[in-house]
Amino acid sequence: MANLKVDAQAEVENVRVFVRVRPLTKKEEAEGHQHILLIDTKENLIALNRDGSSPKPFKFDQVFPEDATQLTLYRVIAVPIVEKSLQGYNGTIFAYGQTGTGKTYTMAGNYTKPDLKGIIPNTFSHIFSQISRASGETSFVVTVTYLEIYNEEVRDLLSADPNKKLAIRERPDVGVYVKDLMGFTVDSIESITELLNRGNKNRVTRSTLMNDVSSRSHAIFTITIESKNRSNNKTTVGKLNLVDLAGSERASRTQATGERLREASNINLSLSVLGNVISALVDGKSSHIPYRNSKLTRLLQDSLGGNSKTAMIAMVSPADIDYEESMCTLRYAARVKHIQNHARINVEHKGLIEGFEHEIAELQEKIHQLSLQEQKQPLIKKKKDKASSQARAEELRKCEEELQKTEKEKSDLMQKISMIQKKILVGGENLFEKAQHQAFLIESSGAEIENLDKNHQQLEETLTKKGQERIDVEEKYSSLQEEDAGVTKKIKKVQSYLNEVKEEYADKEHEYQREMEALLDNNRLLVRETQLACLMIDSHIPKEYLKKIEANLIWNSETQEYQMRGVAYTGNNMRKRQSAHSEFFTPIKFEMKAVYHKYPEKKRERRTIYDKRSFSAVPKAR
Ligand SMILES: Nc1ncnc2c1ncn2[C@@H]1O[C@H](COP(=O)(O)OP(=O)(O)OP(=O)(O)O)[C@@H](O)[C@H]1O
């Protein structure tokens, strides 16, 4: 959005991190895999208990066990963020985890069944319901974009050509954005659901050994809510990113080869970069955060350490066979908890609403002019009455035609106005009964949880009181025996701390291994691609031309590609320019073919002038 300015004070808060455990699958049960998770929902602790030894628990904002409903998750995780987005804050909710752990189930779910709807479709009802309850002073415009990052390429899932690669750009006034990404204005739950369906059909999924319908891309569904309050003329813009990441997986477990190995290594690589960004943000010592190392981290730059209210949902499998991956996910999530964001209300000075209102005023003025023209028509008719009857008939016919044309123009303009007006949603208009019904469900379970929270708070207060009393009593009995017990306790604490550090070390080593695997996979692919390129160069391009090409190659850091110097003045480009401006330019005198297509006649002759090249000497031009 242009002219984005920021309100005075930012709200500083950590990224909220939640864990959701999916049930054991039928396949896991049939293969005899054990459930190894220990969950304490009161204390929000979770631990992996593989060998029976006392495992290290991780603490999060909330841990959702297997039987947690979609609506519970929505209420706890999404409601606060969506409410803030309606007020003009940026919000992000992203699901992270190993493949097949329920990221898509949590974010999208099954939206044909109300209780299985995931976070994304539930936000639709929530947003439209809140708009219908807002005061009539406030107008809203809701727009949607939907993109995926597949093999490090950005694609528009709502475009007629979803395979087209889009570029990421950055501007000081706008920030990071995707060039040519299509935004759609929506005015109802039906229209926004239709867009979600359309995008999902274009998303890349495959059946893998670990998930029948596995998402092979990172998908970002963005809802932008602009609202304008007419009493103070203030416009705010809240952007809500709903992110379903592709699942991390080990090549050894999925047995992927070829294209699938390429997908998997790209997924692992971008998740590794995400991990590096998180580490850099958390350790606080790095002056440089490597956002630019992957498309995913570039697009989520504001969500991690920036201007956004962010929640992460870490998905884990309960099965013993997934111990390593679940451990990695929990460790990853535990680090994210320490990321601090600075969210503020985005205030817009020339928003979409103002643009639409301006357009409506212009169209209304045109209609007014046409009406004035119409009023003059009878006068013309009267004048013509005095003329001869044949001429009068002809003039009358012309007048009628003119009138009809004006009427048509007016009705077209009115239609245009009503289309624009439909895009502006006025608060308080009771258009969204379905949305209200859904909101009622959310609210009623919200009230339930509020009661539970109150009880929980009371219990906590009693516990703290009792704890204090116990401390007072214990302080009265200081004896040698107690001192001894104290020292033993300390030793035990140090011992358990030592064990924790050892475990952490092992985890880190495992994570490092995973990163190495991803890098090696990627490296193998790059070597293969380079060898192929060299082979093609050796077989088809004579040495002297190769030198010319190398001398004219320049690296374009904007597009991250090699480009030929002066390529705009060659071949078809030149021809296009010449035909477009032939009257202004004199044609180029020399014959381009002579420069670009002068190859030696015979094959054998050609072979003698080539020499063998080492592939490492050739830069990889994409
Ligand atoms: N909480 C849950 N309750 C019931 N079924 C679940 C739950 N979570 C996941 N599932 C089921 O597990 C399977 C895998 O889920 P899903 O496709 O959402 O995984 P994913 O993490 O998105 O995988 P990938 O990364 O491969 O796309 C699906 O059949 C889904 O219905």
Side-chain angles (χ1 to χ4, degrees), residues 70 496 545:
Q70 298 279 62
S496 90
Y545 295 115

Side-chain angles (χ1 to χ4, degrees), residues 418-454:
S418 103
M419 264 169 67
I420 300 171
Q421 271 169 341
K422 258 181 95 181
K423 292 182 182 183
I424 303 176
L425 308 171
V426 179
E429 281 184 6
N430 197 17
L431 295 168
F432 314 109
E433 276 159 24
K434 275 189 206 163
Q436 282 187 329
H437 174 67
Q438 186 69 22
F440 170 74
L441 287 177
I442 294 166
E443 255 174 33
S444 53
S445 50
E448 218 174 273
I449 204 72
E450 229 170 76
N451 279 342
L452 283 175
D453 282 349
K454 265 187 202 153

Side-chain angles (χ1 to χ4, degrees), residues 20-23 66 97-106 211 213-216 244-247:
R20 184 181 206 180
V21 179
R22 71 146 164 76
E66 293 91 318
Q98 178 202 351
T99 179
T101 45
K103 295 179 293 299
T104 308
Y105 179 86
T106 299
N211 187 0
V213 191
S214 177
S215 316
R216 313 309 293 158
D244 180 8
L245 295 178

Side-chain angles (χ1 to χ4, degrees), residues 1 5 17 73 128 163 217 239 368 386 452 487 538:
M1 294 267 164
K5 278 210 176 155
V17 182
L73 258 90
F128 285 111
N163 290 328
S217 63
K239 204 164 93 177
H368 177 67
K386 291 170 195 158
L452 283 175
V487 172
D538 283 350

Side-chain angles (χ1 to χ4, degrees), residues 330-378:
L330 293 178
R331 283 197 43 72
Y332 207 96
R335 273 188 290 160
V336 174
K337 271 195 320 183
H338 302 290
I339 297 180
Q340 256 191 1
N341 282 0
H342 302 73
R344 25 187 151 65
I345 294 179
N346 303 309
V347 179
E348 179 92 24
H349 290 300
K350 272 214 171 91
L352 286 175
I353 298 177
E354 201 164 310
F356 288 152
E357 283 173 347
H358 186 70
E359 221 176 315
I360 290 173
E362 271 182 1
L363 293 171
Q364 276 168 342
E365 175 56 28
K366 271 190 194 162
I367 292 178
H368 177 67
Q369 293 302 333
L370 287 172
S371 302
L372 288 180
Q373 228 170 293
E374 265 180 342
Q375 281 164 15
K376 283 182 196 158
Q377 298 287 357

